[in-house]
Amino acid sequence: MMPTEPFKSQAYRRVTWRLLPFLMLCYVVAYLDRVNIGFARLEMLDDLGFSDTVYGLGAGMFFIGYFLFEVPSNLILHRVGARVWIARIMITWGVVSALFMFTTSPAVFYSLRFLLGVAEAGFFPGIILYLTYWYPSERRVHMIALFMTAVPVAGVLGGPLSGWILEAFDGVRGLRGWQWLFLVEALPAIVAGLGVMAYLDDGIRSATWLTEDEKRLLERRLDEDRASVHVHPSLSAVFADRRIWLLCGIYFCYVMGHYGLTFWLPVLLQAAGVEGALRIGVMTAIPYTAAMVAMILIGRNADRRRERRWHTAIPMIAGAAGLTASALAGGNTTAAIVCLSLGSAGVFSAGPVFWGLPTAFLSGAAAAAGIAVINSIGNLAGFASPYVVGWLTDRTSSTEAGMYAVSAALVVGALAVLGIPRRLVER
């Protein structure tokens, strides 16, 4: 007897309510530890005598460690299970993040950023892979979009929190606000890592909170979905697949815009006339709120229409337009915030739909390797973007040239998305 539509909807609803809130919480914690350096910069540069180039290079060093350990980390997750490996990732990155409070020189700063990348490598692609263990392709983009709304949620909550810590804790026990920022925002990662061990299941079969009928339904739907996916015979075949390398290039362009925005948003607001760490933190919540709404709406529409390419390309172009316009806004605070909100909505909403592209034609170990390759190589832009923006800012005494550079990358990536054959990714 075939399951009814209400029964199917109920089963997926149970999975979503069980997994997504907790996974989003973990990503909020991860993202705070990854980008709180943007707020620490407001005090740290003057205290330690760092230039914007040093800051940009240090911010980017995270992604070198991330790149080197991404693929091995995702393959280990596929082998040992999500629960143990995600917990390991979170606990180790929490410890490394706390050590930033002892930064005294560029060398220490660079080393810790590199180690943070090593510790966190595999978390994001691991979660994307983990979602393929539960959801078929026609439900996946909306779920990825919900998961990735953790990024703007981290901005909405983390901006005011970071600004408050910088001001309220400055001088407590002889430590500067930026030192307390690293310590306080590292602790949740360790706690959440311990929570992963107790809460997550490695897959459908081990989920004691599902009935046997629900497990059979979910497993059957995944089997049907995987039957339409071309299976790569080996990992070497994954690396030889030109489609993977095209997606690496597209994701590189996307990440240029993504981190050009997130690492420099506090500085962009400061340049637009917003003063004080707490006020800057509060104002960052506006672009992130716009991004959160756009991510949910565009992700849902992409799944409903089963369309991926235009739902990725148009937001990337909108993000480029918003970042370019924010640079032209100068000291007009209201105009800058409106433009940054458009840029944030575009940039952030393109990400979840993008991840619907590789998962449409990869499964199993090939998905583990392919997703990790795309994410690790694409995230090298996380090294290039802050460094390029920092270098251009030092040379021109303005963030305008940097915003033009990352906007151009977004446009190039959007055009490349439209070059992907529609039959490959839309099903």
Side-chain angles (χ1 to χ4, degrees):
M1 179 178 175
M2 292 295 291
T4 63
E5 192 61 36
F7 180 76
K8 186 187 299 184
S9 298
Q10 177 185 339
Y12 280 111
R13 194 177 301 116
R14 289 191 70 184
V15 172
T16 299
W17 279 107
R18 170 76 182 191
L19 298 182
L20 265 294
F22 184 73
L23 294 177
M24 287 176 65
L25 173 64
C26 292
Y27 199 31
V28 166
V29 171
Y31 209 76
L32 280 177
D33 282 341
R34 186 186 297 187
V35 302
N36 58 11
I37 192 71
F39 281 93
R41 178 204 172 280
L42 298 174
E43 290 183 354
M44 194 177 181
L45 263 64
D46 288 337
D47 286 358
L48 301 179
F50 290 177
S51 67
D52 278 314
T53 302
V54 168
Y55 164 73
L57 180 59
M61 284 299 295
F62 169 94
F63 296 95
I64 302 299
Y66 199 81
F67 167 75
L68 293 174
F69 288 87
E70 185 86 340
V71 175
S73 181
N74 226 33
L75 291 174
I76 292 171
L77 183 147
H78 185 63
R79 176 167 295 187
V80 306
R83 187 173 62 90
V84 170
W85 199 245
I86 291 173
R88 192 285 304 163
I89 289 171
M90 297 192 70
I91 293 169
T92 53
W93 98 51
V95 171
V96 174
S97 187
L99 293 176
F100 275 86
M101 66 184 294
F102 301 111
T103 301
T104 55
S105 68
V108 174
F109 182 48
Y110 298 154
S111 299
L112 287 174
R113 287 294 294 179
F114 176 83
L115 289 174
L116 186 64
V118 172
E120 195 180 321
F123 177 77
F124 176 80
I127 297 297
I128 299 299
L129 177 65
Y130 184 64
L131 291 175
T132 69
Y133 298 165
W134 299 86
Y135 296 100
S137 57
E138 76 269 11
R139 294 177 180 267
R140 207 170 287 149
V141 168
H142 183 47
M143 292 304 107
I144 294 173
L146 286 176
F147 167 65
M148 289 184 67
T149 55
V151 175
V153 167
V156 171
L157 301 177
L161 174 64
S162 297
W164 176 74
I165 291 172
L166 285 174
E167 292 191 356
F169 282 70
D170 192 34
V172 174
R173 295 190 176 274
L175 298 175
R176 293 284 281 140
W178 61 267
Q179 293 175 296
W180 280 109
L181 177 67
F182 287 124
L183 177 61
V184 172
E185 292 189 354
L187 296 177
I190 298 172
V191 175
L194 297 173
V196 166
M197 290 293 294
Y199 189 80
L200 279 191
D201 299 288
D202 286 326
I204 294 169
R205 188 45 49 186
S206 61
T208 57
W209 42 273
L210 289 172
T211 67
E212 189 58 34
D213 286 343
E214 288 171 332
K215 290 179 182 180
R216 282 198 294 266
L217 164 68
L218 298 174
E219 288 172 337
R220 183 167 56 249
R221 185 63 199 95
L222 284 180
D223 289 340
E224 292 169 356
D225 190 56
R226 289 166 183 158
S228 63
V229 176
H230 170 70
V231 178
H232 289 72
S234 66
L235 292 182
S236 62
V238 173
F239 287 96
D241 191 333
R242 293 182 181 180
R243 300 170 300 181
I244 298 293
W245 294 103
L246 174 60
L247 291 173
C248 287
I250 293 168
Y251 197 55
F252 185 95
C253 292
Y254 167 77
V255 173
M256 282 289 292
H258 180 94
Y259 286 112
L261 174 66
T262 53
F263 280 132
W264 293 90
L265 183 57
V267 181
L268 294 171
L269 289 171
Q270 189 177 52
V274 182
E275 298 179 355
L278 179 57
R279 190 155 184 264
I280 290 172
V282 171
M283 296 302 277
T284 60
I286 298 174
Y288 282 123
T289 300
M292 186 165 49
V293 174
M295 287 174 76
I296 294 172
L297 294 179
I298 292 174
R300 181 182 298 158
N301 196 58
D303 269 348
R304 183 170 61 84
R305 295 178 178 272
R306 296 199 178 186
E307 200 288 323
R308 304 286 184 256
R309 299 180 311 144
W310 287 101
H311 282 78
T312 304
I314 291 176
M316 289 177 75
I317 292 170
L323 292 179
T324 298
S326 72
L328 297 173
N332 187 324
T333 303
T334 301
I337 290 174
V338 170
C339 294
L340 288 170
S341 296
L342 171 64
S344 298
V347 168
F348 284 108
S349 59
V353 188
F354 169 84
W355 284 110
L357 302 176
T359 57
F361 63 87
L362 294 172
S363 67
I371 291 169
V373 168
I374 293 165
N375 194 61
S376 60
I377 293 177
N379 266 302
L380 286 176
F383 171 79
S385 181
Y387 178 72
V388 167
V389 175
W391 184 82
L392 289 171
T393 299
D394 275 341
R395 295 301 177 276
T396 64
S397 300
S398 170
T399 56
E400 287 184 21
M403 291 303 101
Y404 298 151
V406 298
S407 297
L410 285 169
V411 173
V412 170
L415 295 176
V417 169
L418 297 178
I420 299 173
R422 187 171 125 184
R423 68 183 181 279
L424 178 66
V425 296
E426 294 177 7
R427 60 186 183 85

